């Protein structure tokens, strides 16, 4: 089988696929239109988030047997049409779920202990102890929305704290010692912290809006290491201003391009200006699952799944 690699990944991916007898070509710069002219030569291709895989692209991939995404989500692929054409879709959420769990916990602890603001203040010569009095996680209720690989990873990290961990997912969950599955309404009634671990779907796009936020019984902290389009930023800012949301840790933003890079080509949106100047907001550039270890794990997961299906 001939495989086209469209994004650079850990070297083990190509090395191990070559050892299994696959032929690997690499093209990390040609435009989507250029790739469409050669994709008919390939049985499979491996991509991260370089461009969207739509029906027109898939129609030109006449030999295609699989698409492998070195990441967790498949929202940049027309999955229904790919399935219709008998194309196997491969993702690797197992590869970076530990990294996402750790990052979610890091964001939450940093917000509770005001580490981002305290660090800046000390560096500027300010020693404001009372202003930086923090909160303890113990005794809080953490609600996880989405309980797949990422949500389960975060729940496992929370076991080291005396917290109540709830989860809500559209799929019934098996028994799990790390979290108790509840309805969304119960999660909204009880949670002090809400952490999103959902894919990008029609159900989750713009999910965290004013109506959703006002459904909570008490002010809460929000962590989003999932997808930026799940949160309506202007509604989040309004809730931060009113105190309905106490603070937010955002690894993803609704403004992201498909490539997750070059956020803004024009003037910054007003809502984003508020976020970057807010002391109770912590931001990172979509790196929750982006560790030295996860780069290797993601690649190995893809190799293992291709091997299991096609060898």
């Amino acid at each position: 089988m001939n495989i086209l690699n469209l994004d650079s990944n850990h070297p083990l991916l190509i090395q191990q696929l070559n050892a299994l007898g696959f032929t690997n070509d690499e093209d990390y710069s040609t435009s989507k239109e250029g790739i469409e002219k050669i994709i008919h030569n390939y049985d499979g291709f491996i991509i991260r988030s370089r461009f969207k895989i739509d029906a027109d692209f898939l129609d030109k991939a006449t030999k295609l047997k699989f698409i492998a995404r070195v990441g967790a989500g498949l929202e940049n692929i027309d999955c229904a049409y790919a399935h219709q054409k008998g194309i196997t879709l491969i993702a690797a959420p197992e590869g970076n779920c530990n990294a996402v769990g750790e990052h979610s916990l890091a964001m939450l602890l940093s917000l509770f202990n005001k580490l981002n603001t305290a660090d800046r203040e000390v560096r500027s010569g300010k020693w404001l102890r009372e202003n930086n009095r923090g909160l303890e996680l113990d005794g809080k209720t953490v609600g996880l929305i989405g309980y797949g690989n990422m949500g389960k990873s975060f729940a496992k990290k929370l076991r080291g704290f005396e917290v109540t961990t709830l989860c809500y997912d559209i799929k019934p969950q098996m028994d799990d010692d790390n979290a108790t599955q509840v309805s969304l309404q119960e999660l909204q009634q009880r949670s002090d912290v809400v952490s999103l671990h959902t894919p990008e779907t029609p159900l989750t796009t713009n999910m965290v809006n004013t109506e959703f936020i006002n459904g909570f019984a008490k002010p809460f902290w929000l962590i989003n290491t999932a997808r930026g389009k799940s949160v309506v930023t202007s509604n989040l800012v309004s809730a931060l201003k009113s105190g309905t949301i106490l603070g937010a840790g955002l690894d993803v933003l609704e403004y992201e391009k498909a490539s997750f890079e070059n956020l803004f080509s024009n003037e910054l949106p007003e809502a984003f200006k508020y976020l970057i100047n807010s002391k109770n907001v912590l931001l990172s550039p979509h790196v929750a699952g982006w560790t030295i270890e996860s780069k290797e794990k993601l690649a190995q997961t893809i190799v293992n799944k291709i091997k299991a299906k096609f060898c």
Side-chain angles (χ1 to χ4, degrees):
M1 292 175 66
N2 296 320
I3 299 174
L4 179 61
N5 293 268
L6 292 170
D7 287 296
S8 61
N9 290 291
H10 193 283
L12 75 80
L13 195 153
I14 290 178
Q15 291 169 2
Q16 292 190 19
L17 289 176
N18 283 339
L20 290 169
F22 296 98
T23 299
N24 283 274
D25 292 337
E26 301 169 69
D27 190 326
Y28 305 145
S29 59
T30 301
S31 68
K32 180 181 178 181
E33 292 73 21
I35 296 297
E36 287 177 342
K37 295 176 181 177
I38 61 171
I39 196 62
H40 64 276
N41 295 315
Y42 294 95
D43 304 285
F45 66 85
I46 299 172
I47 193 168
R48 288 203 316 266
S49 302
R50 186 164 150 197
F51 48 70
K52 288 185 179 294
I53 308 301
D54 52 25
D56 287 342
F57 186 94
L58 293 172
D59 281 339
K60 294 178 174 65
T62 52
K63 291 175 57 180
L64 202 63
K65 297 179 178 65
F66 75 86
I67 302 169
R69 166 137 200 272
V70 187
L74 295 169
E75 64 268 17
N76 281 344
I77 300 169
D78 187 336
C79 296
Y81 193 59
H83 286 307
Q84 183 181 323
K85 293 176 74 70
I87 299 168
T88 297
L89 301 179
I90 299 171
E94 307 91 338
N96 63 354
C97 61
N98 183 72
V100 171
E102 290 190 4
H103 196 94
S104 301
L105 181 58
M107 283 193 134
L108 181 54
L109 292 175
S110 180
L111 285 168
F112 269 32
N113 292 283
K114 303 182 181 179
L115 295 182
N116 54 327
T117 55
D119 175 76
R120 288 197 297 267
E121 288 171 359
V122 172
R123 290 172 187 269
S124 64
K126 298 177 182 177
W127 194 261
L128 305 176
R129 297 184 67 219
E130 188 58 38
N131 287 359
N132 288 298
R133 190 182 289 274
L135 293 172
E136 295 181 17
L137 185 53
D138 279 21
K140 305 297 189 296
T141 296
V142 180
L144 310 179
I145 298 180
Y147 204 61
N149 288 281
M150 309 303 170
K152 287 181 170 69
S153 176
F154 189 27
K156 183 178 179 182
K157 309 304 178 194
L158 290 168
R159 289 191 65 176
F161 298 86
E162 295 294 331
V163 299
T164 299
T165 305
L166 309 176
C167 68
Y168 166 73
D169 197 286
I170 59 173
K171 298 178 182 177
Q173 297 295 312
M174 301 294 288
D175 290 341
D176 189 326
D177 293 336
N178 298 332
T180 301
Q181 187 170 20
V182 297
S183 67
L184 179 59
Q185 291 71 28
E186 183 174 349
L187 185 144
Q188 288 178 303
Q189 286 295 308
R190 297 174 59 187
S191 295
D192 300 296
V193 176
V194 176
S195 186
L196 304 183
H197 299 280
T198 48
E200 186 176 312
T201 71
L203 286 175
T204 62
T205 299
N206 298 331
M207 175 179 66
V208 180
N209 55 24
T210 297
E211 181 181 2
F212 175 90
I213 293 166
N214 289 341
F216 282 80
K218 53 187 173 181
F220 64 96
W221 300 78
L222 177 68
I223 305 293
N224 187 11
T225 55
R227 288 293 182 261
K229 289 183 174 59
S230 294
V231 177
V232 180
T233 309
S234 59
N235 293 175
L236 167 62
V237 166
S238 295
L240 287 165
K241 289 178 177 178
S242 69
T244 310
I245 291 181
L246 299 170
L250 307 173
D251 180 55
V252 289
L253 295 166
E254 68 169 308
Y255 312 111
E256 292 178 32
K257 309 296 184 185
S259 66
F260 305 143
E261 296 169 356
N262 302 321
L263 231 69
F264 304 113
S265 56
N266 299 310
E267 186 179 354
L268 297 181
E270 288 300 318
F272 185 67
K273 288 181 183 177
Y274 180 87
L275 293 180
I276 61 178
N277 289 296
S278 180
K279 290 186 176 182
N280 59 340
V281 173
L282 189 62
L283 302 168
S284 57
H286 204 130
V287 293
W290 203 256
T291 63
I292 300 298
E293 292 85 355
S294 72
K295 184 177 183 180
E296 181 173 350
K297 290 177 187 177
L298 286 165
Q300 190 64 63
T301 300
I302 293 297
V303 171
N304 292 346
K305 290 185 175 183
I306 293 174
K307 180 180 178 181
K309 179 69 178 180
F310 297 105
C311 290

